Amino acid sequence: MARLTPFHILPALIAAASHAGEITIEPRPFSVEKSFTTTALPAGECVLLKLDPKVWTDFAIAQITSHGSKVAKGDVLVRFDSEAIDKKLEDSRRGLEAGSLSLAQAEQDFRILQETAPDKLEALRRAAGIAKEENSYFTQVRRKASEDNAAQALKRSDQILSNQREELKQLAKMYEADDITENTEEIILVRQQDAVAAAEFAQRMEGLDHKRTLEVTLPREAKTLADNERDAAIALKKAEADIPRSIELKKLELQSLKTAHQRAEQDLAELEADRARFEFKAPADGCFYHGSIDNGRWTAGKITDTLLPDGRPPAHAAFATFIPGSAKLALVSFLDETTARSLKLELTGAATLPGREDVEIPVKLLKLAATPGPDGTYRADFSAAWPTEPVPAAGATAQVRLIAYQQATAIVV
């Protein structure tokens, strides 16, 4: 069989062949062809459907369009069951409204506390001053005056009793001088006797009052006034510490309520944003695919097992793909290192679709990765001049053939 022979071993081969009596040397065209499988994919125009929720986690599918379906703009691609999140949103909005009222009340309480604190302290200082003044005045002046007043009242009562007795005694002497006591005289004596009895009673009562004033009333008032002075001073001292502290605590409470309210607003906004993810609609006319078409690969795997009613696609990962009807299909392949090293940009060739090998589709190598991917393959992107018929669907495979090396005239032995 003819083959391309390196020039540095050509003389040796010619010599060996001549001894064997069979040597043929002739120029012929020579080429190296590479063939590999590619996938028809949209050239960067597809829309990946992905759940990227901030707070909500339960996305159960209520409706999903079948894989490969053609859809019109505005058609529902995927809709999730929103009953649970709608209830949560209602509770969150009600809670936020209650929080707003609580925050407004706390702001009013804080403002009133700040405004009334100086007046409360001033009232307590005034009360403490009055209590001290009352106690001092009682101790220095009023107690002695009350004792003197009680003594004077008792002395006056004694004097009245003495006067009444003396007057009765003088009347009795005066009327004893007469032989006959007249009715008028008798009446006067009886009245005087009554006056003496009243004076005796008043004197006895005044004595009791005097004793109680000295032994009970004044000591009790002294104790009360001293306690009032002490308690007012304690209350003032406590208020001077408590009121500024209560203002600071109220301020911290208000700040906590504001922070909680802001967080509640943020939580509600995030929940409302998640609620907007419960329905995906087609942004244009096109096709809907289960699985993701990303980075030149169509990935389905176990994700497609969740794409059914009551299924729950994984979060933060593309689970479906929308391909606009206007998207142009290109060919993508992932080549082994040997094949990749043998290709150069702008190489042209032909692609055929399975079952339609009779139709050759012109292709051109547009991009070739310089470094391998994690799986050790090199990505290659091809443009294709698609015919009117057949037109492949996204994800269809095509066999590509390229002339990696070509020599018009080569020595063939």
Side-chain angles (χ1 to χ4, degrees):
M1 180 178 67
R3 57 180 178 164
L4 184 65
T5 304
F7 286 102
H8 70 277
I9 65 171
L10 189 59
L13 289 174
I14 294 174
S18 62
H19 286 292
E22 45 179 63
I23 177 171
T24 302
I25 300 174
E26 60 181 341
R28 291 184 185 177
F30 180 79
S31 64
V32 177
E33 182 182 281
K34 293 292 182 179
S35 178
F36 42 83
T37 302
T38 61
T39 304
L41 295 175
E45 299 180 27
C46 59
V47 178
L48 297 178
L49 275 63
K50 181 189 297 187
L51 287 172
D52 284 320
K54 295 180 178 297
V55 291
W56 193 257
T57 58
D58 186 14
F59 287 84
I61 293 176
Q63 174 188 343
I64 184 167
T65 300
S66 300
H67 172 72
S69 298
K70 290 186 177 181
V71 295
K73 181 179 180 180
D75 286 351
V76 175
L77 303 177
V78 184
R79 187 174 67 247
F80 297 94
D81 185 356
S82 62
E83 182 179 358
I85 193 173
D86 288 341
K87 290 180 180 178
K88 179 66 175 178
L89 279 169
E90 184 179 355
D91 293 341
S92 298
R93 292 187 183 108
R94 190 180 299 113
L96 186 62
E97 184 178 356
S100 298
L101 295 175
S102 298
L103 179 59
Q105 184 64 51
E107 289 175 338
Q108 182 180 6
D109 292 345
F110 179 66
R111 184 173 61 254
I112 292 174
L113 184 60
Q114 282 185 310
E115 293 174 353
T116 58
D119 295 336
K120 289 181 179 178
L121 283 173
E122 181 59 30
L124 288 169
R125 290 190 186 101
R126 187 165 55 252
I130 291 173
K132 183 177 182 180
E133 181 185 348
E134 287 293 327
N135 189 37
S136 297
Y137 180 76
F138 176 81
T139 302
Q140 298 172 10
V141 178
R142 193 161 62 80
R143 181 167 187 169
K144 182 64 171 60
S146 297
E147 290 174 349
D148 292 345
N149 186 57
Q152 183 63 32
L154 180 61
K155 182 178 180 181
R156 186 166 56 252
S157 179
D158 290 341
Q159 185 64 45
I160 291 173
L161 176 60
S162 177
N163 291 339
Q164 294 294 340
R165 283 176 175 173
E166 182 62 27
E167 186 173 349
L168 176 61
K169 181 179 178 181
Q170 294 300 324
L171 286 173
K173 286 181 179 182
M174 183 177 63
Y175 293 146
E176 284 177 358
D178 297 335
D179 293 335
I180 299 173
T181 301
E182 297 179 357
N183 291 335
T184 302
E185 294 172 347
E186 185 175 353
I187 292 171
I188 291 173
L189 286 174
V190 171
R191 286 180 178 177
Q192 189 59 36
Q193 289 172 351
D194 291 340
V196 170
E200 289 175 344
F201 179 78
Q203 190 271 343
R204 187 172 71 254
M205 293 299 102
E206 195 63 44
L208 293 174
D209 287 344
H210 178 268
K211 182 178 180 181
R212 183 166 181 81
T213 298
L214 297 181
E215 295 178 0
V216 177
T217 304
L218 292 178
R220 182 177 292 171
E221 187 175 2
K223 180 69 166 59
T224 299
L225 291 172
D227 289 347
N228 288 345
E229 180 182 356
R230 178 202 64 202
D231 294 344
I234 292 174
L236 175 60
K237 185 176 181 180
K238 185 175 185 299
E240 288 174 339
D242 286 352
I243 289 179
R245 188 184 299 118
S246 64
I247 292 176
E248 190 62 27
L249 287 173
K250 199 67 177 178
K251 182 179 179 181
L252 292 174
E253 178 186 345
L254 181 58
Q255 290 174 345
S256 297
L257 284 174
K258 286 181 177 179
T259 301
H261 187 67
Q262 291 172 352
R263 289 175 179 169
E265 287 180 329
Q266 181 180 354
D267 291 344
L268 178 59
E270 290 177 348
L271 197 62
E272 288 174 338
D274 287 348
R275 177 63 179 85
R277 295 179 171 89
F278 269 64
E279 189 171 80
F280 290 88
K281 292 185 177 181
D285 295 347
C287 292
F288 179 64
Y289 277 56
H290 293 186
S292 65
I293 299 176
D294 191 18
N295 194 29
R297 298 181 188 269
W298 175 28
T299 305
K302 293 184 178 180
I303 289 181
T304 57
D305 295 339
T306 67
L307 302 183
L308 43 83
D310 202 37
R312 288 167 171 78
H316 311 296
F319 63 88
T321 306
F322 170 76
I323 303 174
S326 60
K328 296 180 179 180
L329 294 181
L331 293 173
V332 179
S333 184
F334 292 86
L335 308 174
D336 59 69
E337 186 172 3
T338 301
T339 303
R341 288 184 182 279
S342 68
L343 302 181
K344 293 181 180 180
L345 294 179
E346 302 298 322
L347 282 177
T348 60
T352 57
L353 299 173
R356 290 304 305 270
E357 288 78 3
D358 58 315
V359 180
E360 289 193 344
I361 303 164
V363 298
K364 179 188 289 189
L365 179 59
L366 299 180
K367 295 180 182 179
L368 181 61
T371 56
D375 60 353
T377 61
Y378 293 74
R379 176 173 174 171
D381 290 76
F382 301 84
S383 65
W386 301 107
T388 305
E389 176 65 29
V391 178
T397 60
Q399 195 70 19
V400 169
R401 299 189 312 278
L402 294 176
I403 304 300
Y405 177 82
Q406 186 171 0
Q407 183 68 40
T409 303
I411 297 176
V412 178
V413 179

